Amino acid sequence: MTTLAKQTLFVGGKVITVDAAFSLAQAVLVAGERILAVGTDAEVRALAAPDAVVVPLNGATLMPGFVDTHGHLGLFGLDELKVSLTGATSKADMLARIAERVRSAAPGEWIVTMPIGDPPYFLNAPALQAQGQVPLRAELDAIAPHNPVYIQAPTNRVPNFAVLNSLALHAAGITATTQVSAQSRVELAADGTPTGVLSGALQPLYNADPLYQLVERVAPATTYDHIRDGIAALAPQFAAGGTTTLLEAHLTDPAELRAYAELHAANRLPVRVFYTFEIDSRQTLDEIAAYLRTVRFAADGGFGTQQLKVIGVSIGLDGPYWHGAAAHGQAYMGPFGEMVNPDPLVNWEHYRAILALAARLDFRIHAEAAGRASIAMALKAFAEIDAQTPIREQRYVIEHVEFPTLEQIQLCAQMGVAPTTSTNFIWGKGAEVYQARLGPQLAERAIPMRDWLDAGVPIAQSTDWGPRSALFTLWQSLARHAGLTGQVVGEQQQITRAEAIRAFTINGAWALKMETEIGSIVVGKRADLVVLSGDLMACAQDDIKDLQVVLTMLDGQVVYRAS
């Protein structure tokens, strides 16, 4: 991070203030961490110090930094340490990338790669496999005769596939006759030997497939250094995309908080991070009570600094629809063509007791609920707490909320619950899951941004699984395209450009109880600012995703500048 000057004067731009009137300005003056003035070029120049550094915007957009209410920086940072296969459309290219890593590896060292296809949803992976562009065991053996090679399966799509070479298969104890699951299998060549491909549900979340476990028990374990180095590698990418604030509220690990603190202390954390301690609902209530007493410093408004803060506890109720793990309340087609109707991960009595305990200890609660039945269960528990002590001022969060009913939306409005969601789900799952498995009628109700806003609820946007580009996500909140087909999903749920910008700035700030500090360009607020390469309000809708971030400022410091 580098400071521009004691004062920085942005002039000649289109300043999207995201104030209450969504007014536009020309210039902004920053002094230290704060915004000192907003207005016309003449008005703001008159207030600037003689030595202020002047940044001419030349008609480009200056706007508040994006507030990502579900970003998974810690989890996805681990992927930055693996061999990337992004953009590789031939097995020759994939093999070349793996071979490059092998050349610098010690004998016996595992080579772990990202899944085949393009992240985050690997929409092109099935096509690449059908085209024969997946490296097989023998080809991996040829370039890595002394190293186990593990091409991971994507965790966010099922069915999926992984690929191992002979040393990796041997280490895992997997042979041609290994059969541990009805859903996953070892693929065999014509001669009966393993091809190296493992197919089925090869991922750790929600399906917990035994074949996957055979591999993961011998693959390299995640260490604290991996977590820290992954965050250090990925955080600058968020800043380069214009994200200045990010919430970690799901699948969190205390080691991540340690890494954030270490990087923050070393001035290497270019985003503002909010964090929640995750409750393990598999534990007894006594065990959970002991845990909550340990982290009680994070209750009653949270703990930390303006850049790194613990703001409560989180608890999950279900998994994704893709995995057949979302508790929808009625049967729908699962990943293998079967009809599924899963219950929430926690039974009602245990869940309500956990939330009541957390409320008594004055924790702010973040509830993960993707499916309708889970949303209903979370809101029922919230309502019981609200009946005893109103939660409006606590501003509980409910995240994912992929298919909320109008009644559930109204309940959030009544209790002051802050919902967070992601239109990126439509990009990744719109064709293969929402339309093909849940059906067109339900698909049209996916991620109902219009319904939330019409009910007066400030729905907050996030990237979640990605794409992690804030500008792509902003475009997607308008376009609502299924990434695989380009089809618009839920046309009646489309929102305006101004509403989309609010959802990704001031609404996110409201969800974090930070609306008086960030989320809009208003005198006195923190100088979390983004300069774009063009006019966000006037450009064609499809050009939004292609705009470039020129500069990102956090607390008046430049944390990213385009070369």
Side-chain angles (χ1 to χ4, degrees):
M1 292 185 251
T2 58
T3 304
L4 278 173
K6 290 185 178 179
Q7 285 194 354
T8 305
L9 173 62
F10 296 94
V11 295
K14 177 171 281 188
V15 180
I16 304 174
T17 66
V18 199
D19 62 8
F22 205 81
S23 57
L24 301 180
Q26 291 179 310
V28 173
L29 180 62
V30 173
E33 298 179 345
R34 301 282 178 173
I35 296 167
L36 186 62
V38 183
T40 66
D41 285 342
E43 291 169 341
V44 178
R45 278 184 183 275
L47 298 172
D51 63 346
V53 171
V54 180
V55 180
L57 296 172
N58 300 317
T61 294
L62 176 68
M63 66 176 293
F66 293 104
V67 179
D68 189 338
T69 53
H70 195 133
H72 288 308
L73 176 54
L75 181 64
F76 295 150
L78 297 173
D79 291 339
E80 296 298 307
L81 310 181
K82 302 167 188 173
V83 178
S84 172
L85 301 181
T86 302
T89 57
S90 70
K91 68 166 63 178
D93 190 355
M94 298 174 204
L95 288 167
R97 297 189 193 191
I98 296 169
E100 182 179 0
R101 178 66 64 90
V102 171
R103 284 192 286 272
S104 62
E109 181 181 341
W110 279 71
I111 310 298
V112 181
T113 86
M114 285 287 289
I116 288 169
D118 295 333
Y121 280 96
F122 308 96
L123 299 175
N124 57 335
L128 291 172
Q129 187 177 35
Q131 295 162 11
Q133 297 302 327
V134 171
L136 301 181
R137 175 181 58 85
E139 294 160 320
L140 294 172
D141 288 348
I143 62 167
H146 307 297
N147 298 89
V149 177
Y150 176 22
I151 301 176
Q152 290 189 320
T155 60
N156 59 347
R157 61 181 300 123
V158 179
N160 56 21
F161 64 91
V163 190
L164 286 74
N165 72 348
S166 294
L167 287 178
L169 287 170
H170 178 73
I174 297 173
T175 68
T177 59
T178 298
Q179 183 172 348
V180 292
S181 165
Q183 295 178 333
S184 296
R185 63 187 182 277
V186 180
E187 301 287 354
L188 303 179
D191 63 359
T193 60
T195 65
V197 176
L198 309 181
S199 297
L202 281 301
Q203 49 80 41
L205 303 175
Y206 311 112
N207 300 92
D209 188 84
L211 188 57
Y212 172 85
Q213 298 299 329
L214 289 178
V215 180
E216 283 298 301
R217 71 181 183 183
V218 295
T222 298
T223 67
Y224 169 71
D225 286 351
H226 293 148
I227 294 171
R228 181 200 59 219
D229 294 348
I231 291 173
L234 184 54
Q237 295 181 36
F238 276 96
T243 295
T244 52
T245 299
L246 181 143
L247 170 63
E248 290 274 23
H250 176 46
L251 300 176
T252 57
D253 184 324
E256 295 168 359
L257 184 60
R258 175 188 167 193
Y260 288 133
E262 183 177 321
L263 293 169
H264 178 36
N267 203 30
R268 295 176 59 203
L269 188 62
V271 292
R272 196 184 304 282
V273 174
F274 292 83
Y275 177 92
T276 65
F277 285 109
E278 186 151 21
I279 296 171
D280 185 352
S281 61
R282 296 169 298 182
Q283 293 182 329
T284 67
L285 193 62
D286 285 344
E287 290 171 326
I288 292 170
Y291 172 67
L292 292 181
R293 285 194 292 271
T294 300
V295 299
R296 185 127 190 231
F297 59 86
D300 192 24
F303 174 84
T305 70
Q306 287 293 331
Q307 191 181 349
L308 178 59
K309 190 173 184 179
V310 184
I311 59 170
V313 293
S314 57
I315 181 169
L317 272 178
D318 61 359
Y321 279 93
W322 204 315
H323 301 64
H328 186 65
Q330 61 188 64
Y332 61 95
M333 186 179 292
F336 298 96
E338 79 286 23
M339 297 303 292
V340 298
N341 187 15
D343 293 325
L345 297 172
V346 194
N347 71 63
W348 164 245
E349 292 299 334
H350 192 44
Y351 184 72
R352 73 191 299 199
I354 293 170
L355 264 59
L357 171 63
R360 286 197 301 273
L361 294 174
D362 203 26
F363 281 99
R364 186 166 184 237
I365 297 170
H366 295 66
E368 179 283 322
R372 280 184 177 171
S374 288
I375 298 169
M377 187 164 157
L379 294 180
K380 183 180 179 182
F382 284 5
E384 287 193 359
I385 296 168
D386 186 62
Q388 298 296 318
T389 305
I391 64 173
R392 180 169 292 276
E393 294 305 313
Q394 287 278 65
R395 209 171 294 168
Y396 286 9
V397 172
I398 186 167
E399 61 188 45
H400 289 151
V401 285
E402 295 182 48
F403 296 94
T405 66
L406 292 174
E407 292 76 17
Q408 290 168 342
I409 289 173
Q410 285 297 330
L411 278 172
C412 288
Q414 292 165 19
M415 292 188 288
V417 172
T420 71
T421 194
S422 179
T423 47
N424 283 343
F425 295 153
I426 296 171
W427 173 263
K429 299 185 277 191
E432 293 172 280
V433 179
Y434 290 171
Q435 291 182 320
R437 283 172 39 192
L438 301 182
Q441 183 175 359
L442 190 56
E444 290 302 298
R445 294 277 306 130
I447 321 300
M449 301 292 284
R450 179 80 273 145
D451 289 344
W452 284 111
L453 295 176
D454 287 350
V457 181
I459 182 72
Q461 179 67 282
S462 68
T463 57
D464 203 347
W465 279 102
R468 65 178 61 101
S469 162
L471 284 164
F472 179 96
T473 306
L474 181 64
W475 164 78
Q476 175 63 2
S477 65
L478 301 167
R480 299 179 64 93
H481 284 184
L484 195 64
T485 63
Q487 182 177 350
V488 176
V489 178
E491 185 174 5
Q492 299 303 313
Q493 294 298 330
Q494 289 178 321
I495 58 178
T496 69
R497 198 170 299 202
E499 287 170 333
I501 292 170
R502 285 187 180 281
F504 219 172
T505 53
I506 192 64
N507 291 7
W510 183 82
L512 295 171
K513 301 182 74 172
M514 286 286 288
E515 69 274 18
T516 61
E517 289 285 310
I518 62 173
S520 59
I521 301 177
V522 174
V523 172
K525 283 194 171 184
R526 294 184 173 274
D528 289 5
L529 306 173
V530 175
V531 178
L532 305 181
S533 60
D535 188 339
L536 176 60
M537 295 303 293
C539 70
Q541 178 174 294
D542 283 348
D543 290 342
I544 292 174
K545 63 183 183 302
D546 299 318
L547 291 173
Q548 300 298 307
V549 173
V550 176
L551 180 144
T552 304
M553 179 177 276
L554 178 72
D555 270 345
Q557 290 187 303
V558 174
V559 292
Y560 170 76
R561 190 198 305 269
S563 58

